[in-house]
Amino acid sequence: MINPIYTPAPARYDSGMKYRRCGRSGILLPEISLGLWHNFGDVNPLSDSMAMLHYAFDHGITHFDLANNYGPSYGSAEETFGIVMEKSFAPYRDELFISTKAGYDMWPGPYGNWGSRKYLMASLDQSLRRMKLDYVDLFYSHRFDPETPLEETLQALVDIVRQGKALYVGISRWPAEAARKAYSYLAERDVRCLIYQGRYNMLDRADEAGGIISEAADNGVGYIAFSPLAQGLLTDRYLNGIPEDSRIALGGHLKSD
């Protein structure tokens, strides 16, 4: 059976989704975004990934968050999104807010990791090809690199915006002092940091206790939480033990202890 052409729900913006302003910017982000960290790689059925992406957009979720190494395997979540972009979302590209990142291990050798200009530029070019996009709405430095000069990483972000490959830039899980320097450096070059991404939920409030969230607010930078439900620990998923098909049972970032 040939899949019918996708048409999003006409009432997608009347489904109850609320949108919040991101820092001091013109961007409104849905209160819930869809991250493709797990469940969208080449080890997962494409039909399931497509159904989840369609469902999200049909219910007012416009923000889709990716990274170069999301999968598994590396790059495959972006490839999955690229297929859905081509088959379903292309006519609605201007309704979507798509982010990706680079900073963690991606390919072998000295130029496939961390925060060098070479790595960030090359990775984003690869991501755009995988996702079938001309640009992303937001590009993150996925982690702070203590060895590469801060100015090199940040200037790469500035130049990525000026080249038209990203509309906005952000940082993810940077330490507080480096984040403050990033906000200042980017603002001085008229490419303000749009958003800080960190892990935050009822079990992990380190970003609140450490001043990360308040510092972002003071600088007009938005804050977005990943793992807000602690990868399912804050749902009813594990109330009666560890299901065989759960993330804990399958192994990975969430451990049984």
Side-chain angles (χ1 to χ4, degrees), residues 6-17 19 30 32-36 40 46-64 81 84 88-89 92 96:
Y6 169 71
T7 302
R12 57 190 175 277
Y13 296 114
D14 300 315
S15 62
M17 180 59 67
Y19 301 85
I32 299 174
S33 61
L34 180 60
L36 279 72
F40 293 87
L46 175 61
S47 58
D48 288 355
S49 298
M50 185 174 289
M52 287 189 282
L53 288 161
H54 288 176
Y55 184 92
F57 188 45
D58 286 344
H59 289 79
I61 293 178
T62 55
H63 177 25
F64 298 95
F81 190 83
V84 178
S88 303
F89 286 164
Y92 313 99
L96 307 180

Short mmCIF file of all heavy atoms in Angstrom, two decimals, residues 6-17 19 30 32-36 40 46-64 81 84 88-89 92 96:
data_model
loop_
_atom_site.label_atom_id
_atom_site.label_comp_id
_atom_site.label_asym_id
_atom_site.label_seq_id
_atom_site.Cartn_x
_atom_site.Cartn_y
_atom_site.Cartn_z
N TYR A 6 0.86 13.35 3.04
CA TYR A 6 0.56 13.87 4.37
C TYR A 6 -0.05 15.26 4.29
O TYR A 6 0.47 16.15 3.62
CB TYR A 6 1.84 13.92 5.20
CG TYR A 6 1.71 14.68 6.50
CD1 TYR A 6 0.97 14.17 7.56
CD2 TYR A 6 2.32 15.92 6.67
CE1 TYR A 6 0.84 14.86 8.76
CE2 TYR A 6 2.21 16.62 7.86
CZ TYR A 6 1.47 16.09 8.90
OH TYR A 6 1.36 16.77 10.07
N THR A 7 -1.14 15.43 5.00
CA THR A 7 -1.76 16.74 5.17
C THR A 7 -1.92 16.98 6.66
O THR A 7 -2.59 16.21 7.35
CB THR A 7 -3.13 16.81 4.49
OG1 THR A 7 -3.00 16.52 3.10
CG2 THR A 7 -3.75 18.19 4.67
N PRO A 8 -1.28 18.01 7.20
CA PRO A 8 -1.39 18.24 8.65
C PRO A 8 -2.80 18.60 9.07
O PRO A 8 -3.61 19.08 8.27
CB PRO A 8 -0.41 19.40 8.89
CG PRO A 8 -0.30 20.09 7.58
CD PRO A 8 -0.46 19.03 6.53
N ALA A 9 -3.08 18.39 10.35
CA ALA A 9 -4.40 18.68 10.88
C ALA A 9 -4.71 20.17 10.75
O ALA A 9 -3.91 21.01 11.16
CB ALA A 9 -4.47 18.27 12.35
N PRO A 10 -5.84 20.51 10.16
CA PRO A 10 -6.18 21.93 10.00
C PRO A 10 -6.25 22.68 11.33
O PRO A 10 -5.98 23.89 11.39
CB PRO A 10 -7.55 21.89 9.31
CG PRO A 10 -7.60 20.55 8.64
CD PRO A 10 -6.84 19.63 9.53
N ALA A 11 -6.59 21.98 12.41
CA ALA A 11 -6.76 22.62 13.72
C ALA A 11 -5.51 22.47 14.58
O ALA A 11 -5.60 22.55 15.81
CB ALA A 11 -7.96 22.03 14.43
N ARG A 12 -4.34 22.30 13.95
CA ARG A 12 -3.13 22.03 14.75
C ARG A 12 -2.77 23.17 15.70
O ARG A 12 -2.14 22.93 16.72
CB ARG A 12 -1.96 21.72 13.82
CG ARG A 12 -1.62 22.79 12.80
CD ARG A 12 -0.59 22.22 11.80
NE ARG A 12 -0.28 23.13 10.71
CZ ARG A 12 -1.04 23.25 9.61
NH1 ARG A 12 -2.16 22.54 9.49
NH2 ARG A 12 -0.67 24.07 8.65
N TYR A 13 -3.17 24.39 15.38
CA TYR A 13 -2.86 25.50 16.28
C TYR A 13 -4.02 25.82 17.21
O TYR A 13 -3.96 26.80 17.96
CB TYR A 13 -2.45 26.73 15.47
CG TYR A 13 -1.18 26.49 14.69
CD1 TYR A 13 -1.18 26.46 13.29
CD2 TYR A 13 0.03 26.26 15.34
CE1 TYR A 13 -0.01 26.22 12.59
CE2 TYR A 13 1.20 26.01 14.64
CZ TYR A 13 1.17 26.00 13.26
OH TYR A 13 2.33 25.75 12.56
N ASP A 14 -5.05 25.00 17.17
CA ASP A 14 -6.18 25.14 18.08
C ASP A 14 -6.32 23.91 18.98
O ASP A 14 -7.38 23.68 19.56
CB ASP A 14 -7.48 25.33 17.28
CG ASP A 14 -7.44 26.57 16.40
OD1 ASP A 14 -6.99 27.61 16.91
OD2 ASP A 14 -7.83 26.47 15.23
N SER A 15 -5.24 23.15 19.10
CA SER A 15 -5.30 21.88 19.84
C SER A 15 -4.98 22.04 21.31
O SER A 15 -4.97 21.06 22.05
CB SER A 15 -4.32 20.89 19.22
OG SER A 15 -2.99 21.37 19.31
N GLY A 16 -4.70 23.26 21.74
CA GLY A 16 -4.38 23.49 23.15
C GLY A 16 -2.91 23.76 23.42
O GLY A 16 -2.55 24.11 24.55
N MET A 17 -2.06 23.60 22.41
CA MET A 17 -0.65 23.89 22.61
C MET A 17 -0.45 25.38 22.87
O MET A 17 -1.03 26.22 22.20
CB MET A 17 0.17 23.48 21.38
CG MET A 17 1.66 23.75 21.51
SD MET A 17 2.42 22.91 22.91
CE MET A 17 2.26 21.20 22.36
N TYR A 19 2.42 28.59 23.46
CA TYR A 19 3.74 28.99 22.96
C TYR A 19 4.31 30.07 23.87
O TYR A 19 3.59 30.99 24.28
CB TYR A 19 3.64 29.48 21.52
CG TYR A 19 3.09 28.43 20.58
CD1 TYR A 19 1.71 28.26 20.45
CD2 TYR A 19 3.93 27.58 19.88
CE1 TYR A 19 1.19 27.27 19.63
CE2 TYR A 19 3.42 26.60 19.05
CZ TYR A 19 2.05 26.44 18.94
OH TYR A 19 1.55 25.45 18.13
N PRO A 30 6.83 26.15 21.26
CA PRO A 30 5.77 25.40 21.94
C PRO A 30 6.25 24.95 23.32
O PRO A 30 7.44 24.70 23.53
CB PRO A 30 5.52 24.21 21.01
CG PRO A 30 6.81 24.05 20.26
CD PRO A 30 7.36 25.43 20.09
N ILE A 32 5.92 22.21 24.61
CA ILE A 32 6.48 20.86 24.44
C ILE A 32 7.11 20.79 23.06
O ILE A 32 6.47 21.12 22.06
CB ILE A 32 5.40 19.78 24.58
CG1 ILE A 32 4.77 19.83 25.97
CG2 ILE A 32 5.98 18.40 24.30
CD1 ILE A 32 3.58 18.90 26.13
N SER A 33 8.36 20.39 23.01
CA SER A 33 9.01 20.14 21.72
C SER A 33 9.22 18.63 21.58
O SER A 33 9.04 17.88 22.53
CB SER A 33 10.35 20.88 21.63
OG SER A 33 11.23 20.43 22.65
N LEU A 34 9.62 18.21 20.39
CA LEU A 34 9.91 16.79 20.17
C LEU A 34 11.40 16.65 19.89
O LEU A 34 11.92 17.16 18.91
CB LEU A 34 9.11 16.25 18.99
CG LEU A 34 9.35 14.77 18.68
CD1 LEU A 34 9.01 13.89 19.88
CD2 LEU A 34 8.56 14.32 17.46
N GLY A 35 12.09 15.97 20.80
CA GLY A 35 13.50 15.69 20.62
C GLY A 35 13.70 14.33 19.99
O GLY A 35 13.00 13.37 20.31
N LEU A 36 14.67 14.23 19.10
CA LEU A 36 14.92 12.99 18.37
C LEU A 36 16.15 12.25 18.90
O LEU A 36 16.81 11.52 18.18
CB LEU A 36 15.06 13.26 16.86
CG LEU A 36 13.74 13.42 16.09
CD1 LEU A 36 13.04 14.72 16.43
CD2 LEU A 36 13.94 13.31 14.59
N PHE A 40 14.39 7.45 16.97
CA PHE A 40 14.28 7.92 15.59
C PHE A 40 15.48 7.50 14.74
O PHE A 40 15.64 7.98 13.63
CB PHE A 40 14.14 9.45 15.57
CG PHE A 40 12.85 9.95 16.16
CD1 PHE A 40 12.74 10.19 17.52
CD2 PHE A 40 11.73 10.15 15.38
CE1 PHE A 40 11.56 10.63 18.08
CE2 PHE A 40 10.54 10.59 15.91
CZ PHE A 40 10.45 10.83 17.28
N LEU A 46 10.98 3.15 10.38
CA LEU A 46 10.72 4.48 9.82
C LEU A 46 9.25 4.85 9.98
O LEU A 46 8.92 6.02 10.25
CB LEU A 46 11.11 4.51 8.35
CG LEU A 46 10.79 5.80 7.59
CD1 LEU A 46 11.52 6.99 8.19
CD2 LEU A 46 11.14 5.65 6.10
N SER A 47 8.37 3.87 9.85
CA SER A 47 6.94 4.17 9.96
C SER A 47 6.58 4.70 11.34
O SER A 47 5.73 5.58 11.48
CB SER A 47 6.12 2.91 9.65
OG SER A 47 6.46 1.85 10.53
N ASP A 48 7.25 4.18 12.39
CA ASP A 48 6.99 4.67 13.75
C ASP A 48 7.48 6.10 13.90
O ASP A 48 6.79 6.95 14.48
CB ASP A 48 7.69 3.77 14.77
CG ASP A 48 7.04 2.40 14.91
OD1 ASP A 48 5.97 2.18 14.29
OD2 ASP A 48 7.60 1.56 15.64
N SER A 49 8.69 6.36 13.40
CA SER A 49 9.24 7.71 13.50
C SER A 49 8.37 8.70 12.75
O SER A 49 8.09 9.81 13.25
CB SER A 49 10.67 7.73 12.93
OG SER A 49 11.52 6.89 13.66
N MET A 50 7.93 8.32 11.56
CA MET A 50 7.09 9.21 10.77
C MET A 50 5.77 9.49 11.48
O MET A 50 5.30 10.64 11.53
CB MET A 50 6.85 8.60 9.39
CG MET A 50 6.08 9.50 8.45
SD MET A 50 5.96 8.84 6.77
CE MET A 50 7.65 9.02 6.19
N ALA A 51 5.19 8.45 12.07
CA ALA A 51 3.91 8.62 12.77
C ALA A 51 4.06 9.57 13.96
O ALA A 51 3.18 10.41 14.21
CB ALA A 51 3.39 7.26 13.24
N MET A 52 5.17 9.45 14.69
CA MET A 52 5.38 10.34 15.84
C MET A 52 5.58 11.79 15.41
O MET A 52 5.07 12.72 16.03
CB MET A 52 6.58 9.85 16.67
CG MET A 52 6.29 8.60 17.48
SD MET A 52 7.61 8.17 18.64
CE MET A 52 8.79 7.42 17.53
N LEU A 53 6.35 11.98 14.33
CA LEU A 53 6.57 13.34 13.84
C LEU A 53 5.28 13.96 13.32
O LEU A 53 4.99 15.13 13.59
CB LEU A 53 7.64 13.32 12.75
CG LEU A 53 9.07 13.06 13.25
CD1 LEU A 53 9.97 12.59 12.11
CD2 LEU A 53 9.65 14.31 13.90
N HIS A 54 4.51 13.18 12.59
CA HIS A 54 3.21 13.67 12.11
C HIS A 54 2.30 14.03 13.28
O HIS A 54 1.66 15.09 13.29
CB HIS A 54 2.53 12.61 11.25
CG HIS A 54 3.16 12.42 9.91
ND1 HIS A 54 2.73 11.45 9.03
CD2 HIS A 54 4.18 13.06 9.29
CE1 HIS A 54 3.47 11.51 7.92
NE2 HIS A 54 4.35 12.48 8.07
N TYR A 55 2.24 13.14 14.27
CA TYR A 55 1.36 13.37 15.42
C TYR A 55 1.75 14.65 16.14
O TYR A 55 0.90 15.45 16.53
CB TYR A 55 1.45 12.18 16.38
CG TYR A 55 0.51 12.28 17.56
CD1 TYR A 55 -0.78 11.74 17.50
CD2 TYR A 55 0.89 12.93 18.73
CE1 TYR A 55 -1.65 11.84 18.58
CE2 TYR A 55 0.03 13.05 19.81
CZ TYR A 55 -1.24 12.50 19.73
OH TYR A 55 -2.10 12.62 20.79
N ALA A 56 3.06 14.85 16.30
CA ALA A 56 3.52 16.05 16.99
C ALA A 56 3.08 17.31 16.27
O ALA A 56 2.51 18.23 16.89
CB ALA A 56 5.05 16.01 17.12
N PHE A 57 3.33 17.38 14.97
CA PHE A 57 2.97 18.58 14.22
C PHE A 57 1.46 18.77 14.18
O PHE A 57 0.96 19.90 14.27
CB PHE A 57 3.54 18.50 12.81
CG PHE A 57 3.39 19.76 12.01
CD1 PHE A 57 3.69 21.00 12.57
CD2 PHE A 57 2.97 19.72 10.69
CE1 PHE A 57 3.56 22.17 11.83
CE2 PHE A 57 2.83 20.88 9.95
CZ PHE A 57 3.12 22.11 10.52
N ASP A 58 0.72 17.68 14.09
CA ASP A 58 -0.74 17.75 14.08
C ASP A 58 -1.29 18.35 15.38
O ASP A 58 -2.44 18.81 15.42
CB ASP A 58 -1.35 16.36 13.87
CG ASP A 58 -1.23 15.88 12.44
OD1 ASP A 58 -0.95 16.70 11.54
OD2 ASP A 58 -1.40 14.67 12.21
N HIS A 59 -0.50 18.30 16.45
CA HIS A 59 -0.94 18.79 17.75
C HIS A 59 -0.20 20.05 18.18
O HIS A 59 -0.12 20.36 19.37
CB HIS A 59 -0.81 17.69 18.80
CG HIS A 59 -1.80 16.58 18.61
ND1 HIS A 59 -1.62 15.59 17.67
CD2 HIS A 59 -3.00 16.33 19.22
CE1 HIS A 59 -2.66 14.76 17.71
NE2 HIS A 59 -3.50 15.18 18.63
N GLY A 60 0.35 20.79 17.21
CA GLY A 60 0.90 22.10 17.50
C GLY A 60 2.35 22.14 17.91
O GLY A 60 2.87 23.20 18.26
N ILE A 61 3.03 20.99 17.88
CA ILE A 61 4.46 20.98 18.16
C ILE A 61 5.20 21.39 16.89
O ILE A 61 5.17 20.68 15.89
CB ILE A 61 4.93 19.60 18.65
CG1 ILE A 61 4.32 19.30 20.02
CG2 ILE A 61 6.46 19.54 18.72
CD1 ILE A 61 4.67 17.94 20.58
N THR A 62 5.85 22.53 16.95
CA THR A 62 6.55 23.06 15.79
C THR A 62 8.06 22.96 15.92
O THR A 62 8.79 23.17 14.95
CB THR A 62 6.18 24.54 15.57
OG1 THR A 62 6.45 25.27 16.79
CG2 THR A 62 4.70 24.69 15.22
N HIS A 63 8.54 22.68 17.14
CA HIS A 63 9.99 22.64 17.40
C HIS A 63 10.47 21.19 17.45
O HIS A 63 10.02 20.41 18.29
CB HIS A 63 10.29 23.35 18.71
CG HIS A 63 11.74 23.31 19.10
ND1 HIS A 63 12.77 23.17 18.20
CD2 HIS A 63 12.35 23.40 20.32
CE1 HIS A 63 13.92 23.17 18.83
NE2 HIS A 63 13.69 23.29 20.11
N PHE A 64 11.39 20.86 16.54
CA PHE A 64 11.98 19.52 16.47
C PHE A 64 13.48 19.67 16.73
O PHE A 64 14.17 20.40 16.02
CB PHE A 64 11.71 18.88 15.12
CG PHE A 64 10.25 18.69 14.85
CD1 PHE A 64 9.53 19.65 14.13
CD2 PHE A 64 9.58 17.59 15.34
CE1 PHE A 64 8.17 19.49 13.90
CE2 PHE A 64 8.23 17.42 15.12
CZ PHE A 64 7.52 18.37 14.40
N PHE A 81 14.73 12.26 9.86
CA PHE A 81 14.02 13.53 9.74
C PHE A 81 14.05 14.04 8.31
O PHE A 81 13.06 14.59 7.81
CB PHE A 81 14.61 14.58 10.68
CG PHE A 81 13.79 15.83 10.77
CD1 PHE A 81 12.71 15.89 11.62
CD2 PHE A 81 14.08 16.93 9.98
CE1 PHE A 81 11.93 17.04 11.70
CE2 PHE A 81 13.32 18.08 10.05
CZ PHE A 81 12.24 18.14 10.91
N VAL A 84 11.36 12.37 6.30
CA VAL A 84 10.04 12.93 6.63
C VAL A 84 9.93 14.36 6.11
O VAL A 84 8.86 14.79 5.64
CB VAL A 84 9.79 12.85 8.14
CG1 VAL A 84 8.44 13.47 8.50
CG2 VAL A 84 9.85 11.42 8.62
N SER A 88 6.93 14.76 3.74
CA SER A 88 5.77 15.29 4.45
C SER A 88 5.85 16.78 4.75
O SER A 88 4.88 17.52 4.54
CB SER A 88 5.59 14.54 5.78
OG SER A 88 5.45 13.16 5.59
N PHE A 89 6.98 17.22 5.29
CA PHE A 89 7.05 18.55 5.90
C PHE A 89 7.51 19.66 4.97
O PHE A 89 7.42 20.84 5.33
CB PHE A 89 7.97 18.52 7.12
CG PHE A 89 7.41 17.83 8.33
CD1 PHE A 89 8.24 17.45 9.38
CD2 PHE A 89 6.05 17.57 8.44
CE1 PHE A 89 7.73 16.83 10.50
CE2 PHE A 89 5.53 16.94 9.56
CZ PHE A 89 6.37 16.57 10.60
N TYR A 92 5.62 22.78 4.57
CA TYR A 92 5.33 23.47 5.82
C TYR A 92 6.62 23.91 6.52
O TYR A 92 6.60 24.22 7.71
CB TYR A 92 4.51 22.56 6.73
CG TYR A 92 3.36 21.92 5.99
CD1 TYR A 92 3.45 20.62 5.51
CD2 TYR A 92 2.21 22.66 5.69
CE1 TYR A 92 2.43 20.05 4.78
CE2 TYR A 92 1.17 22.09 4.95
CZ TYR A 92 1.29 20.79 4.49
OH TYR A 92 0.26 20.24 3.75
N LEU A 96 7.98 25.36 10.82
CA LEU A 96 8.79 24.53 11.70
C LEU A 96 9.98 25.29 12.25
O LEU A 96 10.54 26.16 11.58
CB LEU A 96 9.28 23.29 10.96
CG LEU A 96 8.23 22.44 10.25
CD1 LEU A 96 8.90 21.26 9.56
CD2 LEU A 96 7.18 21.95 11.25
#
